[in-house]
Amino acid sequence: MTQTASYPVDATNRVKRAHERGAYDHETVHLLLDSAMLAHVAYVIDGQPFCTPTLFWREGTRLYWHGSSASRMLRNLSKGEPACLTVTHFDSVVLGRSAMHHSADYRAVMAFGQARLVSDPQEKAQALTMMVDRFFPERTALLRPMTVQESKATSVVVMEIEKASAKIRDKGIADDEEDYALPIHAERIPLHTVIGTPEPCVRMPAGVARPDTLAEWADGRLLEKTLRRAYASAYAVPA
Amino acid sequence: MTQTASYPVDATNRVKRAHERGAYDHETVHLLLDSAMLAHVAYVIDGQPFCTPTLFWREGTRLYWHGSSASRMLRNLSKGEPACLTVTHFDSVVLGRSAMHHSADYRAVMAFGQARLVSDPQEKAQALTMMVDRFFPERTALLRPMTVQESKATSVVVMEIEKASAKIRDKGIADDEEDYALPIHAERIPLHTVIGTPEPCVRMPAGVARPDTLAEWADGRLLEKTLRRAYASAYAVPA
């Protein structure tokens, strides 16, 4: 991946409304993806759209997610099914001086491609490891190994990103110029998704310590920062 | 709305995997919707699924959202377009003793129906008011009134909920019984979306106070609690 690489733009992923908020370069798109754990995936069955929440992660220009919803999603495993995976960071609500200028700051990515089940055994084994280690670095090495039955029962979906766009609004209050003088209270209210106090399992044998590799999962941290650092650690790239 | 009313269940909205997590009653579905502000909407154009983040709210068994994406979404205004609106509360990550039992606690709703532009002038005026007041009770009364041009430039999408399902996982760690004795650290890590410190606009005239109606939007509050209370206040129902 070079820092100047970009995803191709066409009618599907071009940011149409407030197009100045759009970006297509790998760096911007990937950073927003790697700062998240939850995505929503849209797919179609017999003309009916479905929007399913899922945990996901990126590897290069591929997105992976757990195939729990795959039973009804991926009917055609050989050629794949068109899908759109979206990640949204909801950063603030913006209370302007008019209803028109009530808004929100956010950072979102929409990624398009063909979703298919991972069938190659080596790719699947790697994906089943990264499904844990991408979020909790080096964790699988500490776990009870996966059984053959578990591996068979778990499906992984992969989607090569064919097109993608990032859309960012970060300007806070943006009222009509003539409205600023009005005696109306206006403010931006930031929102944060934070990590709470970890709750150790009450059934652990005595003497089992929390591994150091979970240090980033600490009370009060911003989830997106922890996820970015975990990504950097798991894939050995700069944080 | 009666407390025992439920949405009809068929192949589209039946919770298939871990079906014991599914619920279809209005009370459960509506509470999860009313605790949220951000939804993801799936719709289809020429076989291509799109997943778009949007602010939304509920009124009875109808969902409303801002029509910003409607330009390419709603081609057929008369009959509506099939859509799926999904809300996800991401409550925790669950680190079990095996890769298989790594999971997440969450509360999600998928709602299905036909999305259409609001065309009735009275319904649209009401929707443009509630688009603000549902989140910030009684706020439009304090604002510079909406102009005719602004109203024309804003489109509102409505979807009568035809089918819906709630899916809730809240059991935390659920390892295989024989794994509990292993010397492996296991924990649940809660996640919270919280309100940060409100940032007043720096261009307000002197003496403009924060309205009391924003009291629920206070530093440190859980966003979902503030949204539930705002809903109850805006629609005059119990919190």
Side-chain angles (χ1 to χ4, degrees):
Chain A
M1 181 186 96
T2 65
Q3 295 222 336
T4 52
S6 281
Y7 288 104
V9 182
D10 72 3
T12 302
N13 66 321
R14 180 173 289 115
V15 174
K16 292 186 179 64
R17 185 167 171 274
H19 58 85
E20 74 282 3
R21 299 180 190 166
Y24 309 92
D25 61 286
H26 284 192
E27 195 178 1
T28 303
V29 169
H30 293 176
L31 184 67
L32 294 180
L33 292 170
D34 301 341
S35 306
M37 187 166 188
L38 174 71
H40 287 78
V41 180
Y43 56 95
V44 191
I45 297 177
D46 298 332
Q48 171 68 56
F50 289 82
C51 180
T52 303
T54 183
L55 301 186
F56 84 103
W57 75 101
R58 177 183 73 88
E59 195 169 296
T61 55
R62 289 183 160 187
L63 299 174
Y64 289 90
W65 62 92
H66 189 273
S68 62
S69 60
S71 47
R72 60 178 172 187
M73 176 182 170
L74 294 174
R75 294 161 299 165
N76 193 324
L77 309 182
S78 53
K79 71 169 176 61
E81 290 285 336
C84 172
L85 181 145
T86 297
V87 163
T88 306
H89 300 276
F90 185 16
D91 292 328
S92 81
V93 291
V94 173
L95 289 77
R97 292 159 177 85
S98 59
M100 187 74 181
H101 292 298
H102 277 61
S103 188
D105 286 334
Y106 61 90
R107 291 161 293 146
V109 163
M110 294 173 74
F112 300 88
Q114 307 293 317
R116 61 173 177 80
L117 279 182
V118 173
S119 52
D120 177 75
Q122 214 167 348
E123 185 183 11
K124 184 167 176 182
Q126 162 77 356
L128 290 176
T129 298
M130 296 314 288
M131 189 182 285
V132 173
D133 287 1
R134 176 267 174 268
F135 302 109
F136 313 109
E138 302 174 56
R139 183 159 175 83
T140 53
L142 306 173
L143 300 176
R144 186 266 287 157
M146 182 169 267
T147 66
V148 175
Q149 294 95 309
E150 285 176 339
S151 173
K152 279 185 183 165
T154 311
S155 51
V156 182
V157 180
V158 62
M159 184 178 87
E160 177 76 30
I161 304 175
E162 295 170 6
K163 288 167 264 181
S165 61
K167 192 170 176 184
I168 298 172
R169 187 199 192 275
D170 61 2
K171 62 183 174 183
I173 291 167
D175 276 326
D176 290 339
E177 189 53 39
E178 60 271 28
D179 288 346
Y180 281 93
L182 296 172
I184 298 173
H185 192 272
E187 67 181 26
R188 174 183 180 273
I189 307 177
L191 302 174
H192 307 294
T193 300
V194 297
I195 295 168
T197 310
E199 300 162 359
C201 180
V202 293
R203 294 182 61 186
M204 277 194 290
V208 176
R210 192 178 202 236
D212 293 340
T213 46
L214 288 179
E216 294 288 347
W217 288 89
D219 195 359
R221 294 275 174 92
L222 286 178
L223 176 62
E224 67 171 284
K225 284 201 177 167
T226 290
L227 290 172
R228 269 204 303 281
R229 283 173 188 263
Y231 181 89
S233 174
Y235 285 104
V237 295
Chain B
M1 182 184 98
T2 65
Q3 296 221 338
T4 52
S6 281
Y7 288 104
V9 182
D10 71 3
T12 302
N13 67 320
R14 181 174 287 116
V15 174
K16 291 186 178 65
R17 185 168 171 275
H19 58 86
E20 73 282 4
R21 299 179 190 166
Y24 309 93
D25 60 285
H26 284 192
E27 195 179 1
T28 303
V29 168
H30 293 177
L31 183 66
L32 294 180
L33 292 170
D34 301 340
S35 306
M37 189 168 186
L38 174 71
H40 287 77
V41 180
Y43 56 95
V44 192
I45 297 178
D46 299 332
Q48 171 68 56
F50 288 81
C51 180
T52 302
T54 184
L55 301 187
F56 85 103
W57 74 101
R58 176 183 74 88
E59 196 169 295
T61 55
R62 289 183 159 190
L63 298 174
Y64 288 90
W65 62 91
H66 190 272
S68 63
S69 60
S71 47
R72 61 176 172 188
M73 176 183 172
L74 294 174
R75 295 161 300 163
N76 193 324
L77 310 183
S78 52
K79 71 170 176 61
E81 290 286 335
C84 172
L85 181 146
T86 298
V87 162
T88 307
H89 299 277
F90 186 16
D91 292 328
S92 80
V93 290
V94 174
L95 289 78
R97 293 156 175 88
S98 60
M100 186 73 181
H101 292 298
H102 277 61
S103 188
D105 286 333
Y106 61 88
R107 292 161 292 147
V109 164
M110 294 172 73
F112 301 88
Q114 307 292 318
R116 60 173 178 79
L117 279 182
V118 173
S119 52
D120 176 74
Q122 214 167 346
E123 185 183 9
K124 183 168 177 181
Q126 162 78 355
L128 290 176
T129 298
M130 296 314 289
M131 188 183 286
V132 173
D133 286 1
R134 176 265 173 268
F135 303 109
F136 313 109
E138 302 173 56
R139 183 160 175 82
T140 53
L142 307 173
L143 299 176
R144 185 266 287 155
M146 182 169 267
T147 67
V148 174
Q149 296 97 308
E150 285 176 340
S151 173
K152 279 187 182 163
T154 311
S155 50
V156 182
V157 181
V158 63
M159 184 178 87
E160 177 75 30
I161 305 175
E162 295 169 7
K163 287 167 265 181
S165 61
K167 192 170 176 183
I168 298 171
R169 187 200 193 273
D170 60 2
K171 62 183 176 184
I173 292 168
D175 276 326
D176 290 339
E177 188 52 40
E178 60 270 28
D179 288 346
Y180 280 94
L182 297 172
I184 298 173
H185 192 271
E187 66 181 27
R188 175 183 180 274
I189 306 177
L191 302 173
H192 307 293
T193 300
V194 296
I195 295 168
T197 310
E199 300 162 359
C201 180
V202 294
R203 294 181 62 188
M204 277 193 289
V208 177
R210 191 178 202 236
D212 294 340
T213 46
L214 289 178
E216 294 287 346
W217 288 89
D219 195 359
R221 294 274 173 94
L222 287 178
L223 177 62
E224 66 172 282
K225 285 201 177 169
T226 290
L227 290 172
R228 268 205 303 281
R229 284 172 187 264
Y231 182 87
S233 173
Y235 285 104
V237 294

